[in-house]
Structures are given as C-alpha cells and as structure tokens.
C-alpha cells in the first residue's frame, strides 16, 4: 500500500502561483509513476500532469502546458506541482496519484490516490 497526502492548496488571485506537494508513505515511492489530476464541481476528473518513476519524462495537459511543472524527489518521497499564471478555470480539487499503468494520463493507470487539496483562483 502507498498512502498519499497532498498539501499546498489555497486561495490565490488570478495570475498568482502555488506549489502543491504530495507526500508518500508505504511501499517504495520511486517504483511508481506519479500524476496530478483535478476535479472541479460538476465536472469529471481530468488529467493535469505526470512524471515517470525515474523522473526522466513528464507529461502535461494542453491547458496547463507552460504554466505548471511537475517534479519529484525520490529521496523525500514527494512529488510537486508548481503552478504559475493561475486562472479561475484552474479552480478544483487537486489529487495526487501513484501507479504503474499506461497511458500515464489515464486515471485508470493509477492504483493509489490522495484525498486532494483545494485550489481556488479568484478573478
């Protein structure tokens, strides 16, 4: 089992920045690809970003390319999502996930999920 706990969410004005963290405990963190997804009220969960287990490849949704950056520190069992130039449409609960499946952008490829952290961007 892998337990994932997100932090770093909050309220920010449009154009602002936030850095989300996801701390993992349990089985070997470095074994898993890690992803960030988000879910806004009344909408389906959507892929945001992912990073492979070794950190050598990253993937992004078109809507966040150039504004968000995913990274990981396997020594700290933590994955990060740096978000800049935030927009009101980025408002959602952001969830961290770990898994070994493919495609990496599919929620079905992940076995472990955190509870989420709320990000609210005001206009």
């Amino acid at each position: 089992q892998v337990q994932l706990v997100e932090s770093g969410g909050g309220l920010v004005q449009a154009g602002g920045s936030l850095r989300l963290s996801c701390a993992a405990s349990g089985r070997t963190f470095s074994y898993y690809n890690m992803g960030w997804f988000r879910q806004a009220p009344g909408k389906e969960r959507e892929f945001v970003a992912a990073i492979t287990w070794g950190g050598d490849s990253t993937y992004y949704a078109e809507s966040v390319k150039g504004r968000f950056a995913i990274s990981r520190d396997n020594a700290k069992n933590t994955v990060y999502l740096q978000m800049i130039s935030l927009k009101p449409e980025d408002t959602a609960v952001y969830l961290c996930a770990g898994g070994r499946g493919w495609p990496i952008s599919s929620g079905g490829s992940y076995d472990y999920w955190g509870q989420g952290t709320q990000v609210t961007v005001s206009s």
Side-chain angles (χ1 to χ4, degrees), residues 2-6 22 94-98 112-117:
V2 174
Q3 292 79 41
L4 302 172
V5 179
E6 302 94 336
C22 173
Y94 282 71
L95 303 116
C96 172
Y112 305 104
W113 293 84
Q115 293 297 309
T117 185

Side-chain angles (χ1 to χ4, degrees), residues 14-19 64 66-69 81-87 90:
S17 302
L18 282 174
R19 189 177 81 154
V64 307
R67 300 188 299 120
F68 290 12
L81 186 68
Q82 178 68 51
M83 306 185 293
I84 65 171
S85 302
L86 283 160
K87 305 174 181 180
D90 294 318

Side-chain angles (χ1 to χ4, degrees), residues 44-102:
E44 292 188 355
R45 183 181 63 196
E46 65 172 353
F47 169 74
V48 175
I51 187 166
T52 50
W53 62 273
D56 54 316
S57 297
T58 56
Y59 303 84
Y60 297 94
E62 285 296 325
S63 60
V64 307
K65 275 183 180 178
R67 300 188 299 120
F68 290 12
I70 189 171
S71 61
R72 68 190 296 163
D73 185 338
N74 286 346
K76 294 183 178 180
N77 284 3
T78 303
V79 62
Y80 305 97
L81 186 68
Q82 178 68 51
M83 306 185 293
I84 65 171
S85 302
L86 283 160
K87 305 174 181 180
E89 51 264 43
D90 294 318
T91 295
V93 174
Y94 282 71
L95 303 116
C96 172
R100 294 280 293 178
W102 206 264

Side-chain angles (χ1 to χ4, degrees), residues 10 34 36 63 83 120:
M34 298 298 296
W36 285 97
S63 60
M83 306 185 293
T120 303

